[in-house]
Amino acid sequence: MADRFFGELADVPVGSEWLTRLQVSQAGVHRPTVGGISGTKAEGSDSIVVNGGYEDDEDFGDEIYYTGAGGNDPGSGKQVADQSLDQPGNAGLVTSELEGLPVRVVRGSKGDPKYSPTAGFRYDGLYRVADHWSEIGKSGFRIWRYKLVRLSEQEAVPYTPQVNLPAGNPAPRTSTGIVTRVVRTTAVSESIKSLYGYRCQVCNTHLDVPGGIVAEGAHVRGLGKPHSGPDVPENVLCLCPNHHALFDAGGIYLSDDLTVHDMHGHKIGALTRHPKHQIDIGFVGYHRQLWGH
Ligand SMILES: [Zn+2]
């Protein structure tokens, strides 16, 4: 996890260009020198290259319908076999969707000419994975598809092909600061989710989906203003999306003995607590008083 960096690189503004994949890799924007997706199931995918390698790719600029990796003939770009979610990059894009991780998009000159550089490769900013599904592609094989959506319209680079733009554009746009709004997971919430085996501490639900498990790290005392709670294990619960939503909106709360109550004060049951997980009762009380209990 330590190596893989999600989001904007401080020294690589949107619009940066390189001539070769090796240079893109050396800049840290997209590490693999051949593969189109950088990432793993455990960590998520931090970057992709869109370069016409797959016949089913569709590029609309601010939205990309990206084809997963594998099963294609590198020469023609045609699919010759089914794709699998076991492929690390494909699974990584699912993780990025589930965890809300931003994906750096690099476009190459072999992509859709409307949105691609005329030569070499260009960093086009951060996208999120909005959706994924499988379907039978043009050549009759099962492919995985990912809908990627540019994070913020005002941060969009102009998608007109730039002729002879030198590497090291002196006045590029950047989109620094987007990451904090997007990343829904942290090392802390990931560790808590893992401790509970991704089961909800209220209802014990375990939500398996192809490529991952849906679970959320819920901060007892909210992170943002005005609550300014800390991102520490003592302040994080592993919840299913329903109970996370209920907890954040006061539909459920905890008493100091960690009994779960509904909004009317009725006891629902005991919160599951792992022996290694100390929950700070101060944060529990803070949350409870927000809802008048
Ligand atoms: Zn639940």
Side-chain angles (χ1 to χ4, degrees):
M1 183 76 91
D3 271 327
R4 197 172 299 284
F5 181 81
F6 289 86
E8 201 86 356
L9 298 170
D11 54 347
V12 183
V14 171
S16 297
E17 293 197 332
W18 304 269
L19 285 176
T20 67
R21 282 287 298 269
L22 185 60
Q23 290 170 329
V24 175
S25 174
Q26 286 166 343
V29 177
H30 182 80
R31 294 279 184 79
T33 53
V34 177
I37 307 172
S38 166
T40 64
K41 177 176 178 174
E43 299 168 296
S45 289
D46 55 323
S47 60
I48 62 168
V49 171
V50 186
N51 193 30
Y54 290 85
E55 61 186 345
D56 296 294
D57 279 356
E58 293 175 85
D59 196 344
F60 303 100
D62 288 344
E63 284 190 11
I64 302 166
Y65 292 171
Y66 190 68
T67 311
N72 74 324
D73 171 32
S76 66
K78 287 197 179 305
Q79 288 299 132
V80 294
D82 287 341
Q83 292 186 340
S84 164
L85 269 193
D86 292 334
Q87 202 281 342
N90 295 349
L93 283 172
V94 176
T95 300
S96 293
E97 179 187 344
L98 295 177
E99 305 289 353
L101 297 167
V103 179
R104 289 184 298 277
V105 169
V106 173
R107 283 189 174 85
S109 58
K110 292 179 190 163
D112 188 324
K114 219 168 159 184
Y115 304 109
S116 303
T118 49
F121 298 89
R122 185 183 65 216
Y123 172 55
D124 276 353
L126 298 179
Y127 285 64
R128 67 186 169 90
V129 185
D131 198 5
H132 75 277
W133 64 94
S134 74
E135 64 185 44
I136 302 301
K138 286 177 182 167
S139 294
F141 293 97
R142 183 160 301 276
I143 56 170
W144 286 92
R145 306 204 74 189
Y146 301 86
K147 178 182 177 181
L148 287 108
V149 179
R150 174 178 284 283
L151 278 179
S152 156
E153 268 189 48
Q154 62 266 40
E155 305 291 353
V157 289
Y159 280 108
T160 43
Q162 293 160 304
V163 181
N164 297 328
L165 184 75
N169 181 354
R173 300 195 194 188
T174 71
S175 52
T176 308
I178 284 177
V179 180
T180 49
R181 296 203 300 273
V182 176
V183 176
R184 291 194 298 264
T185 191
T186 64
V188 170
S189 54
E190 196 52 44
S191 70
I192 294 297
K193 290 193 291 186
S194 171
L195 190 63
Y196 287 94
Y198 299 85
R199 287 183 184 280
C200 176
Q201 285 178 255
V202 172
C203 66
N204 208 35
T205 299
H206 185 267
L207 297 170
D208 273 311
V209 295
I213 307 165
V214 177
E216 298 183 357
H219 288 88
V220 180
R221 176 171 178 154
L223 283 189
K225 287 180 178 175
H227 309 300
S228 304
D231 186 31
V232 296
E234 294 81 0
N235 190 34
V236 174
L237 303 174
C238 173
L239 298 179
C240 70
N242 280 353
H243 281 118
H244 190 184
L246 284 170
F247 187 80
D248 279 358
I252 54 173
Y253 68 90
L254 298 168
S255 47
D256 281 352
D257 63 359
L258 299 181
T259 301
V260 184
H261 298 259
D262 70 16
M263 59 191 282
H264 305 295
H266 304 308
K267 289 183 183 180
I268 294 174
L271 186 80
T272 303
R273 193 183 70 79
H274 191 283
K276 287 186 185 164
H277 185 201
Q278 296 301 320
I279 298 168
D280 189 318
I281 298 306
F283 300 138
V284 167
Y286 180 91
H287 170 267
R288 190 169 62 233
Q289 57 86 25
L290 290 177
W291 308 105
H293 301 290

